[in-house]
Amino acid sequence: MTPAPTLLPYGDRAVLVELGSTERALAWADALEADRPAGVADVVPAAETVLVVLAEDAPVDRVREALRAVRPAAQDRGAPGTVTVEIPVVYDGPDLADVARLTRLSEAEVVAAHTGTSWRVAFGGFAPGFGYLVGGDPRLRVPRRDRARTTVPTGSVGLAGEFSGVYPRPSPGGWQLIGRTEVRLWDLDRDPPALLQRGAEVRFTEAGS
């Protein structure tokens, strides 16, 4: 039996819902978005939680009661394919060999696995334009690097745990870097600036070096 989510106060106008896994958090957020109760102003999923932001005049107790009634189903995982973003990648990342060793795949098989399945934008965070991607080949689940890099170049494509992602700007980071792309993830001249919106499908393709 699936345990009930834990509802925690988050200031006086929000509720933090603890789900315990990314899959449960996304399913729960999708169900809430599909049938949003009155008084809910925003839904912000993360790796294992969902932050529910209440409208200014919403009765907190009534919204909490509605949140307890949310019942996600398997089909609430969203609608992959509604928007598809293709990202060409040059697979020459400095950690590609380590990922191959950790996964017991060849480097070519790592690339094939990364490009062979579609990913879904689960949520954003870390930096403007950064999307946490889930749903790819489960063989690619690898730990973060033992030591984070002080600078990861813009466009670096990485893996960490169940996630893949693309660094939208230079920053420190501990993900395993397997490639790079020229696609701009964050562009203030674009509306919206973030290329990867929650729920979008992402397909990586192998580009020439």
Side-chain angles (χ1 to χ4, degrees), residues 127-148:
F130 189 92
Y132 287 79
L133 311 181
V134 297
D137 193 314
R139 295 177 298 172
L140 296 181
R141 295 187 178 190
V142 292
R144 294 169 181 261
R145 285 169 47 84
D146 292 336
R147 298 184 63 181

Side-chain angles (χ1 to χ4, degrees), residues 31 33 39 45 52 79 83 87 90 93 107-108 110 126 130 142-143 156 176 178-179 193 199 201 206:
E33 289 281 25
V52 181
V83 175
I87 299 179
V90 177
E107 294 184 15
V110 170
F126 172 59
F130 189 92
V142 292
S156 295
Q176 306 275 3
I178 60 173
E201 179 184 34
E206 185 172 10

Side-chain angles (χ1 to χ4, degrees), residues 184 186-191 193:
R184 297 186 68 177
W186 180 257
D187 185 350
L188 289 176
D189 293 328
R190 186 170 53 208
D191 184 19

